[in-house]
Amino acid sequence: MPLNLIKLCVGIETVEQLEQYRAEQIRLADASGVEPVSTHRTRSFPRRAEEILEGGSLYWVIKGHVRARQRIERLDEVEMGEGGRPHCGIVLDPKVVRVVPRPHRAFQGWRYLEEASAPQDLYEADGDIDAAMPDEMQAELRRLGIL
């Protein structure tokens, strides 16, 4: 069973904004001649990397709720920070997958998230939801018991 990571998505207000940010990151990398991938850099390299690389995802907490995930393709060691101290570059699948929103309190860094505790993909749970429906509308329909 794969192991996942969960992290706050600082500075991002919506899943749409995350999708735009990731697409722009890939476009800029391609334009500058580096590998066009979506990468998130973090200070700590996961000790349980092998479990994560068995199909794990990075789950994003946006505005106090887990709202999306991206599959983790690989974990690269990258230089960053003072003294060239190695950091972890989490290389992500560019596809952002919405998940059934779940409240989550703020925390620093990233945490492990066991597969059994991870939110279900939204479109598996609610196959008839329009993918273009804004998060706020989905949340309100859920609150009303319609979804």
Side-chain angles (χ1 to χ4, degrees):
M1 202 181 252
L3 182 65
N4 304 292
L5 299 176
I6 186 167
K7 182 151 182 34
L8 295 183
C9 198
V10 178
I12 299 291
E13 303 279 323
T14 65
V15 176
E16 293 83 7
Q17 192 178 9
L18 174 63
E19 291 169 331
Q20 292 168 357
Y21 174 79
R22 290 296 175 198
E24 181 66 6
Q25 184 184 41
I26 291 169
R27 189 192 67 73
L28 290 173
D30 192 36
S32 63
V34 295
E35 183 181 10
V37 294
S38 178
T39 303
H40 178 76
R41 288 176 176 81
T42 185
R43 278 187 230 152
S44 302
F45 200 94
R47 289 189 177 110
R48 299 172 67 183
E50 285 183 28
E51 293 172 81
I52 292 167
L53 295 174
E54 291 175 0
S57 292
L58 177 58
Y59 283 78
W60 293 109
V61 178
I62 301 172
K63 301 295 283 182
H65 288 78
V66 181
R67 295 191 186 271
R69 70 175 179 87
Q70 288 180 272
R71 191 178 52 77
I72 298 172
E73 294 183 346
R74 68 179 193 261
L75 300 170
D76 291 346
E77 191 173 289
V78 295
E79 281 193 25
M80 202 172 134
E82 292 189 29
R85 181 176 176 261
H87 286 56
C88 181
I90 304 171
V91 179
L92 303 164
D93 184 320
K95 182 179 179 188
V96 176
V97 178
R98 292 170 186 264
V99 299
V100 176
R102 178 186 302 165
H104 202 289
R105 63 176 178 74
F107 59 96
Q108 289 188 328
W110 52 261
R111 302 283 185 267
Y112 292 114
L113 179 64
E114 299 290 338
E115 187 68 24
S117 300
Q120 187 177 10
D121 289 355
L122 185 63
Y123 304 113
E124 285 180 12
D126 303 309
D128 59 345
I129 288 181
D130 181 355
M133 187 183 299
D135 290 340
E136 296 78 24
M137 184 181 293
Q138 290 177 25
E140 181 64 13
L141 291 173
R142 235 181 231 92
R143 187 186 70 73
L144 294 170
I146 297 172
L147 291 181

